[in-house]
Amino acid sequence: MRAIIIGAGITGPVTAMALQKAGVDAEIHEAYGRTADGVGAYLTLAPNGLAALRVLDIDHRDLGGFDTPALELRGSNGRLLAHLGMGRDGDAGTVSQTVRRSDLYVRLRDEAVRRGIPIHYGRRLVDAATVGGADAAAAGAGGVVASFADGTTVEGDLLIGADGLHSRTRAILDPACPPPRYTGLLNTGGYASGVSVDGPVGVFTMIFGRRAFFAYVNRGPGDVWWFANVPRARAATDAELAAWTPDRWRAELVRLFADDAGPALRILAATPEIIAPWNTLDLPSVPVWHRGPIGLVGDAAHGISPTSGQGASLAIEDGVLLARFLRDHRDPASAFAAFEAARRTRVERLIAQAKRTSNQKIPNPLTRVLRDRVILPLVSRAAARTTNDWVTDYRIDWDAPVDRLPA
């Protein structure tokens, strides 16, 4: 089989390498005419994502990140609300890793190229049509032709949309698919230098402030990574986002955190460049994941709020698991159907959980009391009592019989 992969972010290269392991040739087509080196903030790879990368013989120590084993939740007055682990893989001896998004992207892209996987830039998908039409697609026969804005076309046996939250592939499969949902928060963040904070290296401190949510982690001496979630009733338009000049946005963040305990103001002052704000979006449920030889993976199928700490890990799981099904089914339509059956419940449950977490970051006097005095203490006590976690303990056994893969 020959696969056409749309999107060269994190999901595309992982999927291509997994397909190669499964004996399926793949080429990646990226809409942008350049690479994304240095673009974006940072993310966390949980043990389930790291385990999926190990299936592809990719070691977490090669990703440029650092250990982030735990987090503390605090109120605006500094009071400790909960201490939670961020996942641990006892067999592999690994914990969650926090890494710059661009570093992860570059390492995965370069590894895919090193393994002989072609990546074509400036290829913006316009349309995808099945060879032989709808009847052939329904029967699992034929292939697919992808048409790009530069006038080129490519033919393959299947097409995989790894093209993110605003997926063109998803729109082709289902023009009526609901658009991404705004979760009520603006995101921002940055990297502070020359500032010291309390607490051990690698432990996130997350503060439910009076007006907004602030989180930071000590990367090392004088090196602090941070992010903030700013409540906003409706999604900001492009014009409204553009109006937040760097100076204006910095002043707004200082105002938001001025009355909270903790080092937020010192961290902001030590940050040379604060990342411009963006709307936090998710996709609660995508009705159509696949049709015939065309299917979706990663954020294109199940965009999740970064509050989850699982976006990249779920996408990596997707790539490995889809390749596993393609190896054993061979027929793309059957493999896509089996993949959806194995994934939909898990990812939609996680999206719903992440939305509930996002809601807790939106200040409200009544919900603040419920969160601080009831919900978070219960969560903390429950976490201390168990060694199992349905999110981070998820594992894909590459050699398991196809009917025994995890759901």
Side-chain angles (χ1 to χ4, degrees), residues 175-260:
C177 181
R181 173 182 64 177
Y182 174 59
T183 66
L185 298 168
L186 295 180
N187 252 322
T188 187
Y191 306 94
S193 301
V195 62
S196 61
V197 293
D198 294 333
V201 171
V203 175
F204 271 95
T205 298
M206 301 188 173
I207 302 168
F208 291 95
R210 296 176 187 275
R211 302 182 187 90
F213 182 89
F214 190 85
Y216 65 92
V217 61
N218 184 5
R219 172 71 173 86
D223 185 8
V224 177
W225 295 17
W226 64 273
F227 72 87
N229 300 139
V230 175
R232 181 184 170 93
R234 58 176 180 81
T237 65
D238 290 344
E240 288 171 331
L241 292 173
W244 288 107
T245 63
D247 288 345
R248 184 184 170 205
W249 184 237
R250 181 185 294 272
E252 174 65 6
L253 292 174
V254 168
R255 183 191 71 81
L256 289 169
F257 297 112
D259 298 326
D260 295 336

Side-chain angles (χ1 to χ4, degrees), residues 267-289:
I267 291 172
L268 290 169
T271 303
E273 182 179 353
I274 296 176
I275 298 172
W278 72 94
N279 294 313
T280 304
L281 307 173
D282 69 6
L283 282 166
S285 183
V286 173
V288 180
W289 280 28

Side-chain angles (χ1 to χ4, degrees), residues 79-130:
R79 183 170 67 91
L80 179 66
L81 303 175
H83 181 94
L84 303 172
M86 292 177 63
R88 178 178 296 275
D89 188 329
D91 293 335
T94 59
V95 297
S96 293
Q97 298 287 301
T98 296
V99 58
R100 291 178 190 257
R101 178 178 291 275
S102 61
D103 288 348
L104 178 61
Y105 159 78
V106 167
R107 282 164 169 78
L108 293 175
R109 177 204 66 192
D110 288 353
E111 181 61 18
V113 171
R114 189 189 70 80
R115 297 184 186 192
I117 296 168
I119 302 178
H120 306 280
Y121 293 93
R123 293 275 182 87
R124 184 173 297 279
L125 182 68
V126 174
D127 200 6
T130 53

Side-chain angles (χ1 to χ4, degrees), residues 134-154:
D135 291 340
V144 60
V145 175
S147 303
F148 299 96
D150 64 358
T152 59
T153 59
V154 177

Side-chain angles (χ1 to χ4, degrees), residues 362-374:
I362 300 173
N364 176 291
L366 178 61
T367 58
R368 182 186 296 121
V369 171
L370 182 64
R371 178 197 69 208
D372 295 357
R373 297 184 181 179
V374 180

